[in-house]
Amino acid sequence: MTDTAGMPSPANLALSRKEDFKAFAEAPRRIRPEHLTMAQIAALSLAAKAEYDLLRREWHANLGPMRTPQLSELHEDLWDIVDSNLQDGDKAKGAVALDAFPGLGKTTSVLAFLQEFHRREIAERGQLTAQGHERLPVCRVGLTGNTGMKDLNRSMLEFFGHPGRNRGTTAQLGQRALDCMLSCEVRLLALDDLHFLKWQRTNGIEVSNHLKWIANEFPVTLLMIGVGLADKGLFSEGETRGDAAMAQTGRRTTRLGMRPFTIETEENRREWRQMLLALEQRVVLAGKHPGMLADDLSDYLFARSTGHIGSLMTLINRGCQRAVRNGQESLSRDLLDGVKNDEASEQARKELEAALETRKLTSRPRVTRKKAA
């Protein structure tokens, strides 16, 4: 499936393949549908209404990434590390491990960074290398629970579409992957879902050692993304005992994290409000009004998402889909009460809701509370 320009549809991309990742990285910014009033929507023909609703369905399903403080902090750290990794090929480059709980926007934030990095490298160095090869600044690989050294090498070759990806020894596949990265001048290798590995089994230790080999031999910055990587032994090279401080991986790897939104301090509450205001601006509903999210639903949305941006975006997306479908064209507590969210948020919401409803907690900054009073 392709769009009118002959490019792959954004909804039909596999980012573990170079053509699709390049299409994602170089895609133009999505255009927000026009904001129509209820009267204007009522005046549309059936065909025009169907087209308008389709545009809004796609828009609301792709509201992010949001430039949150968490995303900005992560990107600043990543730029520091990547830009400092301009050592010559005889020197090992520092690696990065993004280790954080689910639902905090790790993959979304990293993909936004990879997109920016790809665009910067192409703008500065051109589409082709000096040898005439296609320049691919980023190689992104997703891992599975049974990944071993050979599988990892094969996955890297799969990204490049190498014809020899399905045959050869582990060492041969690794050398082919190295050749691809050298030819395409890859500068950033992102390994997503690293927590799927069985770190306490033999293949986990082998992969940990294999990651050291990649960091030593490949002229790339290795970016690893996962959940509980420290607990799984990444920094102690797969071992639960011993002198982890002496582990080479731990010495060469910078561990980064992402924090959820909280409402414990005034600054935290201001961050939450700014997030809701920015999200409110992106929503395309005829009945939208200023403060629909940031004033009317602030406490409710915090309780439903527990401060996890992934859960918040899911709830807003599904709420907007329902509001368009049933003609309500706005978000309210009554509407959102009928919208299901992820299980982790649903399990945690009751205690938060009770505290917010009894005013033991509030998500609203002091200034907005005074205005409301």
Side-chain angles (χ1 to χ4, degrees), residues 99 193-201 204-205 208 226-240:
D99 188 2
D193 291 327
L194 204 66
H195 54 277
F196 285 160
L197 296 173
K198 308 294 186 184
W199 286 99
Q200 303 310 321
R201 296 185 180 180
I205 299 172
S208 181
V227 178
L229 299 181
D231 294 336
K232 293 180 182 298
L234 172 63
F235 306 107
S236 56
E237 300 178 5
E239 299 291 344
T240 56

Side-chain angles (χ1 to χ4, degrees), residues 13-18 21 24 107 110-111 114 136-143 155-156 158-160 181 186 188-193 223 225:
L13 297 179
L15 299 185
S16 56
R17 298 174 181 174
K18 67 181 180 69
F21 184 86
F24 157 77
T107 297
V110 166
L111 286 175
L114 297 181
L136 297 169
V138 174
C139 173
R140 185 240 171 224
V141 175
L143 303 184
S155 295
M156 289 189 287
E158 188 72 43
F159 179 85
F160 296 99
M181 296 207 187
V186 174
L188 190 54
L189 171 58
L191 303 180
D192 205 354
D193 291 327
L223 171 56
I225 307 105

Side-chain angles (χ1 to χ4, degrees), residues 52-293:
Y52 183 58
D53 286 351
L54 173 59
L55 290 175
R56 291 196 292 170
R57 284 201 301 274
E58 293 177 343
W59 173 258
H60 289 137
N62 297 278
L63 286 174
M66 307 294 292
R67 182 61 64 171
T68 63
Q70 293 88 332
L71 181 143
S72 297
E73 291 164 6
L74 175 65
H75 281 199
E76 281 299 302
D77 288 335
L78 288 175
W79 282 120
D80 287 343
I81 295 165
V82 171
D83 286 347
S84 66
N85 273 352
L86 290 178
Q87 300 97 328
D88 293 337
D90 62 324
K91 302 179 182 66
K93 303 180 187 299
V96 188
L98 178 54
D99 188 2
F101 289 115
L104 297 178
K106 294 187 303 298
T107 297
T108 299
S109 299
V110 166
L111 286 175
F113 178 80
L114 297 181
Q115 184 182 57
E116 292 179 19
F117 182 77
H118 173 96
R119 291 181 174 183
R120 190 187 76 169
E121 289 292 297
I122 295 299
E124 292 179 351
R125 304 175 188 271
Q127 294 279 354
L128 301 177
T129 68
Q131 287 72 38
H133 300 294
E134 181 182 21
R135 186 183 303 282
L136 297 169
V138 174
C139 173
R140 185 240 171 224
V141 175
L143 303 184
T144 68
N146 295 315
T147 301
M149 291 186 295
K150 191 169 186 176
D151 301 311
L152 178 54
N153 292 346
R154 184 181 292 115
S155 295
M156 289 189 287
L157 289 175
E158 188 72 43
F159 179 85
F160 296 99
H162 194 285
R165 62 189 179 275
N166 293 319
R167 62 182 184 275
T169 65
T170 299
Q172 289 171 333
L173 295 178
Q175 288 300 324
R176 290 169 194 162
L178 175 58
D179 289 341
C180 287
M181 296 207 187
L182 291 173
S183 297
C184 298
E185 297 190 3
V186 174
R187 292 292 174 260
L188 190 54
L189 171 58
L191 303 180
D192 205 354
D193 291 327
L194 204 66
H195 54 277
F196 285 160
L197 296 173
K198 308 294 186 184
W199 286 99
Q200 303 310 321
R201 296 185 180 180
T202 301
N203 68 332
I205 299 172
E206 289 177 346
V207 172
S208 181
N209 290 330
H210 195 57
L211 295 177
K212 283 194 299 180
W213 174 74
I214 291 174
N216 288 335
E217 301 299 326
F218 287 43
V220 301
T221 298
L222 182 59
L223 171 56
M224 299 167 281
I225 307 105
V227 178
L229 299 181
D231 294 336
K232 293 180 182 298
L234 172 63
F235 306 107
S236 56
E237 300 178 5
E239 299 291 344
T240 56
R241 295 187 297 273
D243 189 1
M246 297 300 293
Q248 190 180 88
T249 303
R251 286 292 183 180
R252 290 184 177 176
T253 304
T254 301
R255 182 184 176 186
L256 302 178
M258 292 193 75
R259 57 185 172 86
F261 284 95
T262 62
I263 53 175
E264 297 173 356
T265 69
E266 192 69 7
E267 182 179 358
N268 295 152
R269 290 187 283 270
R270 283 197 296 268
E271 285 183 352
W272 176 249
R273 179 174 175 79
Q274 289 302 314
M275 170 66 191
L276 294 184
L277 288 172
L279 193 52
E280 194 175 282
Q281 289 295 314
R282 297 197 183 191
V283 169
V284 183
L285 296 173
K288 180 181 74 173
H289 60 273
M292 181 181 69
L293 302 183

